[in-house]
Amino acid sequence: MPGDADRGELPRDLAALGFTERFQALFAPLSEKGLVPGRVSRVDRGLPLVLTEEGPVRAEPAAHLRETADGPIAVGDWVALARPEGHDVTIVEAILPRKSAFTRKDPGEQAIGQVMATNVDTVFVVQALAPNGPNLSRLERELVLAWESGAVPAVVLTKADLCLDAEALRDEVAAVALGVDIHLTSAVTGQGVHELHDAIEPDQTVAFFGASGVGKSTLLNALVGADVQATAEVRETDGKGRHTTVAREMFFLPEGGILIDTPGMRALALWDADEGIASAFPDVEELAAGCRFADCTHAREPGCAVRAAVEAGELPERRLDSYLRLKEELDRLVEKQDARARAERSKADRLLSREIKRYHKEHGR
Ligand SMILES: Nc1nc2c(ncn2[C@@H]2O[C@H](COP(=O)(O)OP(=O)(O)O)[C@@H](O)[C@H]2O)c(=O)[nH]1
Ligand SMILES: [Mg+2]
Ligand SMILES: [Zn+2]
């Protein structure tokens, strides 16, 4: 496999790859069929690199997997591999049911989800404290996606060395990241790096997720203890621009634990985020339970407990605006999904009526 050899030593031990009891149990029937388990560590142009007990293999997804509802194979997936006799290709025959999936709306498509990482235990939403301080609205959106994934969200604040009062900023973040652990770090001074390392259990998979330039790859290198991932600084000197992390990829911590680094994403549109919004905004949801109308939109209905809390200074107006904006985005997405489903149905209807016509023609009616 040219190009894959320079990845250094990748683990071949299934336990180190995160093959927990859950996946072992799910795999048992596939094992009887002679399939081999492996975990997807990256995907290049639709072709997954799968880590197995015999080393990494570049595999091809079976045709039936290219159109599954779960979307194509993603980094973090546990898959079942087949090596058909007389062929030198390895085929991905099945994707094991995912424990969690981190999904956004595909920025290029009307209503398609894009799976960014799967089977993640903790999603670290990364925000930089400098130069502009954390972006609370973006953080709220990131947390909605993180909750929705089924993983446990946590927040990592980076570049603490660049600000005078990091603790005050941390408190601001704590007010919107409800029920979520917050790690204050600096890759320059090493502040918080050990604590973050300790928060990652040896059999866990975690992912870094956040805007470009917040310091995800730098922190990854600090955790791994080696420059395994290019950072902005490294590449700026060879003039390759700022978007240094181009692929989602899996890295292995020396004492166990798997970390998926993702490239910064500018477009972070929601995808199926009902529960994510409820989990990320427990304060608003709790107030909403006290509104007079069950379907209150918290705009100008009488007896709105949410508005009342804003007016009493108990809920920041900014927070309510964020909530309403995310809700509205989700409503629009659901409309688009419905339109797409209708369009697909009518396409299927057209194909069927063509089939019927052909049948009648061939049978001379
Ligand atoms: N001062 C300071 N700079 C940092 C820290 N972490 C990252 N940086 C710098 O921020 C820039 C972007 O870092 P990078 O890791 O590539 O960000 P990514 O796009 O999130 O992966 C680089 O120039 C890093 O050196 C930090 O804790 N303190
Ligand atoms: Mg990066
Ligand atoms: Zn209301």
Side-chain angles (χ1 to χ4, degrees):
M1 263 168 304
D4 294 331
D6 61 357
R7 285 286 298 108
E9 311 147 44
L10 293 164
R12 294 178 174 209
D13 172 22
L14 291 182
L17 290 169
F19 202 49
T20 54
E21 270 175 33
R22 176 186 188 274
F23 291 112
Q24 288 169 30
L26 287 168
F27 200 81
L30 298 165
S31 180
E32 274 169 30
K33 288 192 201 164
L35 299 174
V36 172
R39 192 160 191 203
V40 177
S41 74
R42 56 180 290 162
V43 181
D44 301 280
R45 292 192 198 98
L47 292 185
L49 181 68
V50 185
L51 307 186
T52 73
E53 279 180 314
E54 282 153 42
V57 277
R58 192 58 78 174
E60 257 175 61
H64 70 270
L65 286 181
R66 292 179 208 144
E67 307 164 8
T68 53
D70 283 349
I73 295 167
V75 173
D77 275 336
W78 275 101
V79 296
L81 300 173
R83 298 199 182 104
E85 250 173 77
H87 291 264
D88 52 5
V89 288
T90 302
I91 306 288
V92 179
E93 284 295 340
I95 305 174
L96 297 198
R98 291 163 175 165
K99 184 187 175 203
S100 63
F102 202 79
T103 311
R104 67 166 169 176
K105 188 172 89 60
D106 188 318
E109 291 281 342
Q110 283 291 300
I112 290 191
Q114 185 181 57
V115 183
M116 295 177 290
T118 66
N119 300 322
V120 169
D121 297 295
T122 307
V123 176
F124 289 105
V125 171
V126 187
Q127 285 244 353
L129 292 174
N132 303 315
N135 178 338
L136 297 184
S137 299
R138 182 172 169 120
L139 180 64
E140 285 166 326
R141 172 178 293 270
E142 290 168 338
L143 285 171
V144 168
L145 287 166
W147 278 112
E148 186 68 29
S149 74
V152 177
V155 173
V156 173
L157 299 173
T158 59
K159 311 195 187 186
D161 57 288
L162 295 179
C163 53
L164 292 171
D165 198 351
E167 291 294 337
L169 292 174
R170 179 211 180 98
D171 291 346
E172 259 181 57
V173 167
V176 305
L178 301 171
V180 167
D181 285 344
I182 300 171
H183 301 269
L184 197 58
T185 69
S186 162
V188 170
T189 66
Q191 178 186 353
V193 176
H194 276 295
E195 289 83 343
L196 186 58
H197 199 286
D198 287 346
I200 304 170
E201 300 292 330
D203 63 346
Q204 276 192 333
T205 301
V206 304
F208 277 170
F209 173 64
S212 184
V214 295
K216 298 179 294 298
S217 300
T218 305
L219 200 50
L220 164 76
N221 289 339
L223 289 170
V224 173
D227 284 347
V228 289
Q229 179 73 303
T231 63
E233 234 158 51
V234 174
R235 287 295 193 84
E236 254 157 21
T237 54
D238 64 29
K240 289 234 171 113
R242 284 192 41 85
H243 285 274
T244 40
T245 310
V246 290
R248 294 175 274 276
E249 190 172 356
M250 208 177 250
F251 294 89
F252 299 88
L253 303 186
E255 285 155 51
I258 299 169
L259 205 160
I260 299 174
D261 192 22
T262 63
M265 279 160 282
R266 217 163 299 151
L268 258 194
L270 298 186
W271 183 254
D272 279 352
D274 251 342
E275 287 166 34
I277 291 179
S279 305
F281 289 87
D283 47 351
V284 181
E285 297 261 324
E286 195 180 309
L287 287 166
C291 294
R292 183 177 307 161
F293 303 113
D295 61 350
C296 183
T297 62
H298 324 305
R300 51 184 74 80
E301 289 94 334
C304 174
V306 177
R307 281 261 153 233
V310 171
E311 265 137 47
E314 285 154 15
L315 179 73
E317 176 120 49
R318 191 207 56 76
R319 179 108 172 124
L320 176 58
D321 286 348
S322 277
Y323 174 82
L324 293 177
R325 206 170 310 127
L326 291 164
K327 277 277 202 197
E328 200 200 307
E329 181 177 324
L330 189 60
D331 287 346
R332 265 180 285 136
L333 172 71
V334 170
E335 276 167 29
K336 278 187 198 157
Q337 284 170 333
D338 288 349
R340 191 187 159 86
R342 273 197 306 276
E344 267 168 13
R345 225 173 297 132
S346 73
K347 188 177 159 204
D349 288 349
R350 272 202 311 281
L351 290 177
L352 181 64
S353 65
R354 215 177 291 158
E355 280 294 306
I356 294 171
K357 269 187 205 146
R358 192 180 306 138
Y359 176 88
H360 286 290
K361 212 166 154 189
E362 279 168 13
H363 291 77
R365 283 181 230 175

